[in-house]
Amino acid sequence: MRVEPYVYFQGRCEEALAFYRGAIGADATVFARFDDKVAHAVLRIGDTVVLASDGQGAGQPDFSGFSLSLTVSDDAEAERLF
């Protein structure tokens, strides 16, 4: 069994994906749009998959209540990503 978190970014999904691409080398492998919003994206971070969307895009974005944890092989890689 594999568990894949699905994160809703309330209208700022594309910005979040760009951040994770630049910060930790994540790769968006599936990118589906609805109008100008991200309906569904698959973000690959190493061997991990995180699903993402703008969701309904209603309200103010609030990035509390979740975190992504990275496990790396050595201190140098941890320092580089941090």
Side-chain angles (χ1 to χ4, degrees), residues 39-50:
H40 176 72
V42 175
L43 190 64
R44 293 197 176 275
I45 305 168
D47 295 332
T48 302
V49 171
V50 176

Side-chain angles (χ1 to χ4, degrees), residues 47-80:
D47 295 332
T48 302
V49 171
V50 176
L51 307 175
S53 172
D54 275 319
Q56 298 298 319
Q60 296 297 317
D62 181 8
F63 294 108
S64 62
F66 74 92
S67 62
L68 300 178
S69 176
L70 302 177
T71 302
V72 296
S73 58
D74 57 49
D75 289 347
E77 182 70 357
E79 288 291 329
R80 185 183 76 77

Side-chain angles (χ1 to χ4, degrees), residues 4 14 19 25-26 30-31 36-37 46 50 67 73 78 80:
E4 297 169 343
E14 196 158 0
F19 170 78
V30 175
F31 208 84
D36 62 341
K37 298 296 182 186
V50 176
S67 62
S73 58
R80 185 183 76 77

